[in-house]
Amino acid sequence: MRNVGGEYVTEAVAGCVETLRPAVARDWARLRAAGLEWSVHETAFHIAEDLVAYAANLAGLAQDDYVPFEIRLDDGTDNSGLLHVIEATGALLSAAVRTAPREARAFHPYPFRSANREGFAAMGIAEVLLHTHDVAGALGLTYEPPQHLPEFVLTRIFPHVQPGPTPWETLLWATGRGELPGRARLTEWRWNNNLVHTTERLTLQGITPAAARDLVMGGDGGFLWLEGGPFEGTREAASFLLKAYEGGVHRPEFGVFALVRKEDGQAIGGMGFHGVPDEDGRVEIGYDLVEGARGSGYATEALEALRAWAFAREDVTSLFATVDRDNHPSQAVVTRAGFRRVSEDEDGLLAYELPR
């Protein structure tokens, strides 16, 4: 899956500037942006502030907070100058996304306190699209971005939102700006960057709906795979994730994670949950590894990390897994993690469970 985030940032910014330029002669400071407490001028400047802040955090690999600086406009800057600032800050974010290493992650406060290069691209594009909508509404201008831009945003940082009639309508609804048939209008919302768990040798990187779709289509999901990967179980898990997303029941915390080695950035397998906990707090977990990564304890290490995370939550009371009777290495993995065999069905599947 190609890294198109930088290209899409550039495209989103170009669409913003093209839309707003015909209204530069108007007094943006006296008009309130549609649906906001800010003026049109403040909202447009906010776009630039966010673009440069995201660029700085990603390029500087900030880990604990935003890079401590602010931008300001020179005295006397007119609306044309402000649009130039949006263009320049957009170019900075685009460059940061294009050049960031595949494994780069930097600080963003919610929900999991970090984002990768796709996440920063999606957040930047969201700021541009949504606030251009707010400003255009106040200025009486027509604005609708090409559908692949809101789709990029939705499939990266709104994994919990069921797709609607069009990506643009869905994004407007997901951010409290629009209506969708059969759905209550939102008054509060947040996006979700992918969750990452860290172990001694691995990062467990949450697979987004965009990555899942690419895996289902035979792609790499944006990961650098060890030879022989991704294994078929990971592609199958991605198909289940994609179905859950399209059905509006996907919850990224209980999704699928790519297991990526810290030493070389290579993905060696997949591990994740088969859905949210049931009414009794039971949740199923599954995994696979590329053949070349087996026998080194990676699956046990990853399973222990997900077990610790799950049992720190109040809504999880037990984990369970099913393993084929002939799959002795996988049986050893769950046993080392503390699971105990509880049953065997007529097809030779062994059920293992681990209570909190």
Side-chain angles (χ1 to χ4, degrees):
M1 186 168 71
R2 192 167 64 89
N3 175 23
V4 297
E7 298 173 22
Y8 285 0
V9 170
T10 299
E11 185 178 356
V13 168
C16 165
V17 172
E18 180 182 1
T19 298
L20 301 184
R21 193 175 299 283
V24 293
R26 298 178 63 180
D27 189 348
W28 290 7
R30 291 184 178 274
L31 288 173
R32 178 178 293 182
L36 303 180
E37 295 298 319
W38 298 333
S39 71
V40 167
H41 186 277
E42 289 170 325
T43 305
F45 182 62
H46 176 74
I47 295 173
E49 287 182 306
D50 279 342
L51 290 171
V52 74
Y54 294 158
N57 269 32
L58 180 57
L61 297 179
Q63 296 300 302
D64 301 312
D65 205 342
Y66 285 106
V67 176
F69 76 101
E70 295 182 354
I71 63 170
R72 68 174 183 85
L73 300 177
D74 290 344
D75 292 342
T77 299
D78 60 11
N79 294 333
S80 292
L82 176 52
L83 291 182
H84 193 186
V85 173
I86 291 174
E87 288 178 310
T89 53
L92 292 174
L93 178 57
S94 177
V97 171
R98 291 170 188 264
T99 59
R102 186 191 303 267
E103 296 304 305
R105 295 193 72 85
F107 172 82
H108 188 273
Y110 61 79
F112 307 122
R113 298 191 65 79
S114 73
N116 60 10
R117 64 189 185 186
E118 277 205 337
F120 276 103
M123 290 188 292
I125 294 166
E127 298 286 357
V128 174
L129 302 187
L130 295 169
H131 289 313
T132 302
H133 166 270
D134 301 335
V135 169
L139 295 170
L141 302 171
T142 299
Y143 174 69
E144 181 173 338
Q147 294 297 326
H148 61 270
L149 294 180
E151 182 180 31
F152 180 92
V153 173
L154 290 167
T155 55
R156 270 73 175 181
I157 60 175
F158 286 90
H160 54 294
V161 173
Q162 183 179 19
T166 69
W168 183 228
E169 291 175 282
T170 305
L171 183 59
L172 291 177
W173 175 84
T175 57
R177 289 170 166 83
E179 305 279 355
L180 281 183
R183 304 191 200 184
R185 191 179 181 106
L186 296 182
T187 57
E188 295 182 357
W189 61 273
R190 279 190 173 182
W191 54 50
N192 281 266
N193 280 292
N194 68 325
L195 174 61
V196 171
H197 300 287
T198 301
T199 71
E200 181 181 356
R201 297 180 295 169
L202 302 170
T203 58
L204 283 62
Q205 302 180 20
I207 293 176
T208 65
R213 180 178 294 136
D214 189 66
L215 286 166
V216 169
M217 297 298 291
D220 57 19
F223 300 98
L224 176 65
W225 287 90
L226 184 67
E227 184 178 357
F231 208 64
E232 193 57 38
T234 298
R235 295 197 189 278
E236 184 178 19
S239 72
F240 295 149
L241 186 160
L242 193 58
K243 289 178 182 177
Y245 168 67
E246 292 170 347
V249 296
H250 174 54
R251 297 296 173 264
E253 300 95 323
F254 291 101
V256 183
F257 299 83
L259 311 184
V260 179
R261 288 195 304 212
K262 292 180 179 178
E263 67 179 41
D264 57 11
Q266 290 189 312
I268 60 171
M271 180 175 292
F273 302 98
H274 291 198
V276 298
D278 65 18
E279 59 185 11
D280 296 319
R282 297 175 72 245
V283 61
E284 185 174 1
I285 197 166
Y287 52 87
D288 71 6
L289 288 182
V290 176
E291 290 187 9
R294 297 173 187 173
S296 298
Y298 290 123
T300 300
E301 186 174 324
L303 184 57
E304 289 175 348
L306 286 188
R307 176 197 63 188
W309 175 85
F311 284 165
R313 299 175 59 96
E314 294 183 356
D315 54 351
V316 178
T317 60
S318 64
L319 301 177
F320 72 98
T322 57
V323 183
D324 190 89
R325 180 195 300 150
D326 297 327
N327 191 344
H328 300 293
S330 189
Q331 294 172 35
V333 169
V334 293
T335 299
R336 284 194 296 269
F339 287 69
R340 294 293 179 264
R341 195 171 85 181
V342 294
S343 67
E344 178 179 356
D345 68 15
E346 59 185 15
D347 295 322
L349 282 179
L350 308 179
Y352 288 80
E353 188 159 12
L354 176 63
R356 185 162 64 185

